[in-house]
Amino acid sequence: MSESAARAQRAAALEEKRKRLEELKARRSQRGADSAAVSAKVSSSANLDEYIDDLLRQPGAANTPVAATTTQAEAPALVNETGETPTKAPAQVATANNVIAQAAPPAAPPVKKVETFTVCTQTEPEDFPEQPEPEQDAVSVDDDKPLDDDDEVAPGESAKDEEGEDPKVLSPEELEAEIVSKPFSEFLNTASKKVERVLGTPQLADLLVDYVGEMDGIKRSESKVSDGSVFLASRQLYQCPKWTANRDVTDLHWSPLHRELMLSTYDMPMSANTANQLSKGSAAVSAVSHTDTSSSSLTPRSGELQSDGLALVWSLAMPGRPEHIFTCGSPVLTGRFHPTEAPLVIGGCQSGQLVVWDIRAGRLPVQRSSLTTASGNKGHAHPICSMEIIEGGSGLVTTAVDGKVNFWSIANLRDPAESLQVGDSASCCAVAPESESLLIGDGNGGLHTIQSASSTQGQRTARRTVRKLDVTSSTPGGAAAGGDDGDAAASPGHFGMITSVSAKSIPTGATSRAAGLSKGFLRGSGGLVLTAGVDWSTKLWAPAYSDQPLMSWVSNSYDYMSDVQWSPIHPSLFATASSTGSIGLWNIASSLEEPITGVDGIVVETEAATTGKRGLNKLKWSADGRRIMAAAGDHVHVLSLAEDVVRQKGDEDSRVMSHLVSRGLLERE
C-alpha cells in the first residue's frame, strides 16, 4: 500500500470518529432540552407545593387542628390556576370533623440480616498469578476529546517489551544454568507433581464409595485384571529406583487421616561394608536441621542417595514418585504416621532411637529419642523391630530385638514412660484394640502376651502382667488342623522365628464385643489371633481359651511365611504373604482347609516365583478393607480387591465359631 493510500485511510477513520462524537453531543443536547420542557410544565404548581410544605413545617402542625376554612364541599377546589390537579399530593387527609390532619409517616421496613462466608481452597501462589489491569480502548464513545493522528498505531508495527527490546535468546550455557537453578527446580517439581496427580485421579475414584456390607440388587463386577485374577479389581506398582535402588522395604503403613497416603520405610543400600555397619549400628542422625531440603523435592543433595535410612510417603495418585522423602542416619526398620498430626511421621531405627519427621521442616528428623548407652537408661539399646499406636492415639509401644518393650507418650518421645522385658528376644508385635493387650512374637517361635493395666472387670491393676503361651502344657481343645486328638504334641508352636502376629479389629457394633474378656482377650471369634513364621506355617490362636494354637496351615511349597494380617472390616478374612512372591486370601467362614485363592495364591512378584528373588516381606490392609499394600524388595504394590472378596455374606462371625466348635477346637459356651 502506498503512503498516500495509507494517509487517506487514516483520514477516513478520523472522519468517522468525528461523526460519532457529533452524534453523541447532539443526543446529549436533546436530553437537556427535554428536561427543561418538563421543568417548565410543572413550574405552575410549585407555589401550591411550597404553601403546603410551609404548613407542614409549622410547629405543632401534626397535633393542632387547623381552622376548617375548607369544607368537604370546597375540597375539589384545591386545584391550580390552570385547572389541573397538583402533581404532588399533599401529605394530609380529611378527618370526620372536616379538618385536615397530617398523615403518619410510613413505618421503616425491617432491616434484613445478611450473613456472608468465604470458601477457600488450598492452593499455591503460582496457581493464580496476578492478572494485569485491562487497558482502556483507544477510542471511547463517551469521551468528548477527539483523537489525534499521533494516537494511532501504524498497521503492521511489531510489539516489543516495555524496554523496547526483543526477548533474549539464552545460550546453551545459560540455559543449563537456568535449568539447575533452585527457582526453576522448585517450579518444575511443583508443576510436574500437579500434572501427575491429575493423571492419577482414577486411582482415587472409589475412596469415598463404601461397597462393604449387604448389597442386594446390585450387580457385582466379574472383570479380570491383566494377570487373569478374579480376586482383584486393579493393581498398581509404586517405585522410585532413583531413591530405593538396592534397598528393601522394612515396614508399611496407611495414613489414618488421609486415605490416599501410604508410608514405606527402607534399610540401607546394600554394599561391601553393609555387614560391618549392621553389626556396629549408627546414630539415627548426627544433627537436627530445620532448614533442610524440602521433603517434597525429588532432587537429592550430595550423599543423600546413600543415606542409611529412608522413609517415603506415597500418594495413590502418583505411582512414579513419592509425595515426601525423609532420610536418616540409621536404617529405618519400622514406621507409622502420627495418629493425630498429619505432617508428622514416626520411625524406629536400627540404632534403637525413635525419630520424628515433619514435612514442613525438610528431610531430616526434627526430633529423636535419647540414644541409650548406659544400662540405667530406659530407651532401646538394640534395633527397634516393631511399633504400634495404643491408647486411642495418645500412646506408642515399641519392641526391640533384645525383648525390651517400651511404652511412650505421643506428646513426649524423648524418653519412654514405662519399660518391660519379655524373654530374651522379640521379632514382631500386635495390639488387641478392644482390650489394649499386646502380643509379642520372639525369635525362637514363642508367643507372649502383655495384659493392659485394666483388668477384665474394669478395675485398675498395679502393673502390666506378662504371660507366655506355654504350648507344652495340655489344654482342652488344642488340636491341630486335621489332627486326630487334642493332645499338646499335635499342636506345637512355631519351630522358628515368628515373622508376624495379627489381632482382629472388630468394627463398632459387632456382636462379638458382648462376649466378654478372658485373660485379657475377647471371647468368641473377635479374640482370634494369627501368627506366621519361617517354619512355613501360619497358625490360629485363641488366647482367651487356650495357650495352644487351634489350627496350623503349612505352605505347600515349603517357603517361609513373611506376614499375615486380618482384614480390618471382615470378621473371617485374612491375607498371608510368602517368600514365593504371592498373597493368599483365606475366608475361614467358608473353608478351614485352603485359601479361597487356591494353593498358588495371587502372584504379585513373578520374579520371585521364577528366580526366588523379591519375595514378599510385608503387607498391610487399608482402613476400609478394600486394598492391600504389599512390599517385595523395594517395590510397593497396591492391590484393589474385587467386591465379592470383601463383601460379607451373612453372619460369617457365627459361622467361624460353629466350624471351630464342630471340630472340637473350642468348647461350646
Side-chain angles (χ1 to χ4, degrees):
M1 180 182 294
S2 64
E3 183 178 357
S4 59
R7 289 181 178 275
Q9 184 178 1
R10 288 198 297 270
L14 291 175
E15 183 65 24
E16 178 66 22
K17 294 173 183 177
R18 290 192 183 96
K19 290 181 179 180
R20 293 172 59 189
L21 291 175
E22 291 176 358
E23 292 176 359
L24 178 63
K25 291 179 180 180
R27 287 197 297 269
R28 289 180 177 176
S29 300
Q30 183 65 29
R31 287 198 298 267
D34 295 342
S35 300
V38 174
S39 300
K41 184 176 181 180
V42 300
S43 60
S44 59
S45 60
N47 295 334
L48 181 60
D49 293 341
E50 292 176 1
Y51 173 75
I52 295 175
D53 292 339
D54 291 339
L55 291 178
L56 295 178
R57 284 195 295 269
Q58 292 180 1
N63 300 324
T64 305
V66 181
T69 58
T70 304
T71 62
Q72 281 184 327
E74 297 173 341
L78 292 175
V79 295
N80 54 21
E81 297 177 355
T82 61
E84 297 177 356
T85 303
T87 58
K88 181 178 180 181
Q92 296 175 346
V93 295
T95 63
N97 296 327
N98 295 330
V99 298
I100 299 176
Q102 183 179 5
V111 179
K112 295 182 179 181
K113 183 179 180 182
V114 180
E115 298 182 357
T116 62
F117 65 94
T118 303
V119 178
C120 301
T121 58
Q122 294 181 353
T123 58
E124 297 182 2
E126 59 267 20
D127 291 343
F128 299 94
E130 295 183 359
Q131 299 293 334
E133 293 292 335
E135 298 181 358
Q136 277 191 332
D137 295 337
V139 179
S140 176
V141 297
D142 295 331
D143 193 359
D144 295 340
K145 179 181 177 181
L147 296 177
D148 298 331
D149 293 343
D150 297 337
D151 296 336
E152 292 291 328
V153 178
E157 184 177 347
S158 61
K160 298 184 179 181
D161 57 10
E162 295 179 356
E163 290 78 9
E165 299 179 358
D166 293 329
K168 180 181 178 182
V169 178
L170 299 178
S171 64
E173 294 77 11
E174 293 174 333
L175 181 61
E176 183 66 24
E178 289 293 333
I179 291 177
V180 299
S181 64
K182 184 177 181 181
F184 182 81
S185 299
E186 293 177 351
F187 161 76
L188 183 62
N189 176 70
T190 303
S192 61
K193 186 176 292 186
K194 292 175 181 176
V195 173
E196 289 192 44
R197 286 198 190 102
V198 173
L199 296 177
T201 49
Q203 299 291 335
L204 312 178
D206 60 343
L207 279 182
L208 301 179
V209 182
D210 184 14
Y211 297 100
V212 180
E214 294 296 337
M215 297 174 52
D216 295 337
I218 299 180
K219 184 178 180 180
R220 298 188 294 274
S221 173
E222 297 180 356
S223 60
K224 299 181 180 181
V225 294
S226 57
D227 63 350
S229 175
V230 297
F231 305 102
L232 300 182
S234 65
R235 61 191 305 168
Q236 185 66 54
L237 173 63
Y238 296 80
Q239 62 174 338
C240 185
K242 181 176 183 179
W243 281 90
T244 63
N246 301 322
R247 297 179 185 265
D248 289 324
V249 175
T250 56
D251 202 3
L252 300 171
H253 192 227
W254 290 87
S255 172
L257 304 177
H258 301 285
R259 299 171 61 182
E260 74 277 9
L261 295 183
M262 308 168 289
L263 173 67
S264 58
T265 59
Y266 301 81
D267 59 7
M268 67 180 64
M270 301 302 294
S271 60
N273 58 353
T274 298
N276 294 333
Q277 296 180 7
L278 289 173
S279 60
K280 295 179 181 178
S282 59
V285 62
S286 57
V288 177
S289 172
H290 294 276
T291 59
D292 188 29
T293 306
S294 172
S295 63
S296 61
S297 174
L298 196 62
T299 305
R301 295 190 307 175
S302 177
E304 278 189 325
L305 294 179
Q306 289 74 37
S307 297
D308 291 344
L310 181 67
L312 302 181
V313 176
W314 300 89
S315 172
L316 285 174
M318 294 194 302
R321 61 179 298 178
E323 185 81 29
H324 296 284
I325 301 173
F326 303 114
T327 60
C328 187
S330 179
V332 185
L333 304 183
T334 182
R336 292 291 183 271
F337 283 102
H338 195 285
T340 57
E341 299 293 333
L344 302 183
V345 174
I346 306 172
C349 298
Q350 180 184 311
S351 63
Q353 289 180 286
L354 283 179
V355 295
V356 179
W357 292 284
D358 191 333
I359 65 175
R360 300 163 294 188
R363 289 180 181 156
L364 293 178
V366 297
Q367 183 182 356
R368 56 194 173 109
S369 63
S370 301
L371 183 60
T372 302
T373 56
S375 59
N377 292 351
K378 293 182 178 180
H380 291 294
H382 292 77
I384 299 175
C385 59
S386 61
M387 174 194 309
E388 294 293 342
I389 304 295
I390 59 174
E391 298 174 359
S394 63
L396 183 72
V397 59
T398 57
T399 58
V401 295
D402 63 341
K404 191 173 186 179
V405 181
N406 282 343
F407 298 87
W408 310 73
S409 171
I410 289 290
N412 179 21
L413 295 177
R414 186 169 182 82
D415 294 300
E418 184 181 355
S419 296
L420 290 176
Q421 186 67 35
V422 179
D424 56 0
S425 67
S427 57
C428 53
C429 173
V431 180
E434 294 77 13
S435 60
E436 292 288 334
S437 296
L438 301 181
L439 293 143
I440 311 293
D442 63 27
N444 300 318
L447 185 62
H448 308 260
T449 65
I450 301 178
Q451 188 173 348
S452 64
S454 298
S455 66
T456 56
Q457 288 78 23
Q459 301 175 354
R460 302 290 296 182
T461 58
R463 54 176 299 177
R464 303 177 190 266
T465 58
V466 180
R467 178 171 67 98
K468 181 178 181 180
L469 299 186
D470 187 5
V471 298
T472 60
S473 62
S474 179
T475 306
D484 297 330
D485 51 37
D487 57 2
S491 57
H494 288 278
F495 290 107
M497 181 181 69
I498 296 179
T499 56
S500 178
V501 57
S502 177
K504 296 183 71 172
S505 178
I506 305 301
T508 304
T511 56
S512 58
R513 281 183 176 269
L517 294 174
S518 177
K519 302 179 183 179
F521 292 89
L522 280 176
R523 298 183 67 85
S525 66
L528 297 178
V529 174
L530 290 167
T531 58
V534 297
D535 60 347
W536 324 311
S537 67
T538 303
K539 296 184 182 295
L540 178 68
W541 306 70
Y545 298 90
S546 171
D547 290 352
Q548 295 181 350
L550 303 181
M551 300 190 67
S552 180
W553 299 280
V554 179
S555 171
N556 66 311
S557 56
Y558 292 97
D559 292 284
Y560 70 84
M561 308 303 296
S562 56
D563 206 347
V564 61
Q565 294 291 326
W566 282 110
S567 169
I569 53 94
H570 199 292
S572 60
L573 183 66
F574 66 90
T576 59
S578 69
S579 60
T580 59
S582 62
I583 288 180
L585 295 176
W586 298 72
N587 189 338
I588 56 177
S590 301
S591 174
L592 293 176
E593 303 297 336
E594 61 180 12
I596 60 177
T597 53
V599 293
D600 295 330
I602 302 173
V603 178
V604 178
E605 281 283 348
T606 56
E607 186 178 352
T610 57
T611 64
K613 299 179 180 179
R614 291 191 181 279
L616 297 182
N617 48 4
K618 285 289 179 180
L619 60 83
K620 198 74 173 181
W621 289 83
S622 60
D624 59 1
R626 294 195 57 82
R627 290 180 172 89
I628 296 180
M629 181 168 44
D634 66 333
H635 293 176
V636 177
H637 300 265
V638 175
L639 311 178
S640 296
L641 301 181
E643 180 189 332
D644 276 340
V645 176
V646 300
R647 189 174 64 97
Q648 297 185 32
K649 304 174 180 65
D651 189 3
E652 300 192 10
D653 199 25
S654 300
R655 292 208 299 269
V656 171
M657 292 300 296
S658 298
H659 290 334
L660 297 177
V661 171
S662 62
R663 290 197 173 202
L665 304 178
L666 290 179
E667 296 180 354
R668 187 178 300 274
E669 296 184 351

